[in-house]
Amino acid sequence: MNFLKKIILLNYHISQIFFWKEFKYIVNEFFSNIEKTSNLRKFLKKNIKFEKKKNNVSFSFKNTFLFSSNLGLFIINESQIQKIFAGDVHGVSICKDVVFFSVFTGIHSSIIKAKLIRNKLSFELREKERILSFETLYGNERIHGLSFDKETGNLCFANTQRNSICYVDINKKKIVNEIFIMKDKTGLSISSDHNHVNSVNCINNFVLFTCHSGSVGIKKRGGSLVGFTDKKKIFFFKTTNRGVHDINLISNDLYICDSFGNYKTYTGRLLRNGKPFMENLLRRFSSNYMLRGLGISGNEFLIGCSYINPDRSLRKKNSGGLIFMCEKNIFFKKLQSSQINEIKCVNDKDVRVGKANLLKIFEKSFGKCIYQQEIEKNFISKKINLI
């Protein structure tokens, strides 16, 4: 009798929401998450290969780039784009022929390690394994930027969910260190998505990073924070506009994406040493997009354009694209993917820099350091529930 009552009650609740517009959203989200999880499971099995269809581009680069998007991980070689993983991918990093990328299934974020293999005119990923996975229920919580630390052999990632930078031992498959980037006035580490740390870049003994929000002293729309840590102390600098992404140091030039601009007079820009770079060329392509994802090698630039809408649920309803730029030659390629997340050059050259010089570069770009913070020594997170 109790069982019959439960069945009747369940039918009653279903009938109450069946014609409600939220129900359609819940069902679509459910099936989308099932598909993403299924794709990840198939991919991690041996000998499962994803499509080798190629998309031609009327612009050729000498270098090879990887880019991540809401529809997968792609590789650009000369004038061809090829998908090498199907799924919702955010962070991507590469060391020699080993690729690391973060996958979001709608319930969890996972970090995948795979070997990049060139096979005739195609690329594929082999020797695949999942090195980390934990619960991230919302899009803003997912694992964001990745960077391989060649000094320690660990993988660094922006743990946006906990406002921190984490180090993963890729052999032991566990987090070995977590640096919380911000403390409150009582000295307690802020361990929720407060500043939205989104990009990291390991350069010898330093980690460069960007935060979407939190510039000290700027009210209303606020600004962003950029900075670096030597793993003993964190150095913060402010930018005028909220929402910066990506941070690249090429020689002594520091590049970031001012993704949204100032919301009023202009859209997103690429900044070099804090000043607009190639602004007139980029402006005609970025009016309907935010700039996110930046790959640089020599005089070749690959810049991601993501469709932007204040309503997050509508951001995947339109297409994104890529800007190919080499000196004053520029080309825009529209893509099916609406969100371009990270871009990395496959043959990235090592950059070496000392602390004094790094401080000068940041000060030249953003003015004086606005805040410094000591880091707890060898803090190891105990609160992330890994699966």
Side-chain angles (χ1 to χ4, degrees), residues 224-245:
S224 301
L225 289 172
V226 297
F228 70 91
T229 174
D230 59 3
K231 303 168 193 172
K232 297 176 184 177
K233 197 180 274 190
I234 304 178
F235 301 85
F236 292 97
F237 300 80
K238 68 180 181 182
T239 67
T240 304
N241 300 318
R242 176 172 285 189
V244 300
H245 292 83

Side-chain angles (χ1 to χ4, degrees), residues 233-264:
K233 197 180 274 190
I234 304 178
F235 301 85
F236 292 97
F237 300 80
K238 68 180 181 182
T239 67
T240 304
N241 300 318
R242 176 172 285 189
V244 300
H245 292 83
D246 311 296
I247 186 159
N248 287 268
L249 182 63
I250 309 296
S251 298
N252 286 322
D253 291 324
L254 189 64
Y255 294 87
I256 64 168
C257 286
D258 180 13
S259 297
F260 303 101
N262 68 1
Y263 296 88
K264 293 179 181 178

